[in-house]
Amino acid sequence: MEQERRRLTADDWAAAALTAIGAGGLAAVAIEPLAARLGTTKGSFYGHFSNREALVEAALSLWEKQFTEAYIATMATEPDPMARLRMLFTRIIGNAGQDALAVNVLASADHRLVAPVVSRVEQRRIDYSFALFEEIGFPPTVAAQRAMLGYTAYVGHSQLATRLPGVLPLKDADQLTRYIDSVLNLLLHDAPGPTAPV
């Protein structure tokens, strides 16, 4: 007798929808193709969600948790704010161009379901960076400017790496490390306190 398939959860559907957004944008979230990819039927979908919009909302919530809150949580044990800043930039810049998900989500930022999530995620990321720069010792006005500059550098880098692969001359780990060093040196210019910029 054929073994019974694992029952799919709402999280399974949300993860599949998130993969679809990464591959083809928001329009790629369609129930029947996702059901086929998951090896199930539309009935499984309706057991968890009332409609496509609810699935999109679940996928965006998953994106927020995995690519913002989880990133921040992984750095929580590092006591040095400069080291946390380096960890953050190494991770986000190192991953740029490998996954179009963030670029595709931002491309749909004017959609009524996407807009509040993107707004919340961007504010959370900027606030986190702001707190790092304040902890390093910058006054609030400067910390806010550095956080905004750092975030726009990340978004621009991610867009270029995904949309125009090969344009950025970061072909190996040494080039990536030197690039991250240069970004951090700019962001940490005139950093107060005894710890010098990288």
Side-chain angles (χ1 to χ4, degrees):
M1 186 165 110
E2 186 180 333
Q3 188 177 11
E4 187 176 342
R5 285 187 212 153
R6 179 179 72 87
R7 181 175 167 81
L8 293 174
T9 66
D11 285 345
D12 292 325
W13 278 96
L18 202 56
T19 299
I21 293 170
L26 199 60
V29 180
I31 309 310
E32 289 187 16
L34 287 177
R37 191 171 304 137
L38 289 167
T40 190
T41 65
K42 288 196 300 184
S44 168
F45 168 79
Y46 288 109
H48 299 291
F49 300 100
S50 57
N51 54 38
R52 177 183 177 272
E53 288 189 357
L55 175 61
V56 169
E57 288 173 341
L60 293 171
S61 176
L62 183 61
W63 172 70
E64 181 176 7
K65 288 176 193 167
Q66 288 182 344
F67 296 97
T68 298
E69 297 307 328
Y71 272 34
I72 290 170
T74 61
M75 294 178 281
T77 58
E78 172 54 60
D80 180 10
M82 284 194 184
R84 288 200 305 278
L85 192 66
R86 173 173 282 284
M87 288 168 63
L88 177 64
F89 271 86
T90 299
R91 186 163 190 180
I92 62 177
I93 289 176
N95 289 341
Q98 297 176 19
D99 187 351
L101 177 58
V103 173
N104 286 345
V105 170
L106 291 178
S108 300
D110 60 346
H111 188 282
R112 65 182 180 79
L113 296 177
V114 181
V117 179
V118 167
S119 178
R120 189 169 60 242
V121 163
E122 288 183 337
Q123 193 60 56
R124 175 71 168 113
R125 291 173 176 181
I126 291 168
D127 287 348
Y128 179 74
S129 297
F130 170 75
L132 285 177
F133 285 110
E134 266 203 321
E135 195 176 343
I136 288 166
F138 288 103
T141 302
V142 178
Q145 292 169 348
R146 301 292 168 100
M148 186 63 71
L149 180 59
Y151 192 68
T152 55
Y154 152 67
V155 171
H157 181 88
S158 181
Q159 290 280 341
L160 283 173
T162 303
R163 300 293 190 206
L164 300 168
V167 167
L168 298 174
L170 303 174
K171 305 202 184 318
D172 59 42
D174 287 340
Q175 287 179 327
L176 180 62
T177 298
R178 286 194 299 273
Y179 174 71
I180 292 169
D181 286 346
S182 69
V183 170
L184 291 176
N185 278 323
L186 286 170
L187 292 173
L188 294 171
H189 178 68
D190 293 334
T195 308
V198 292

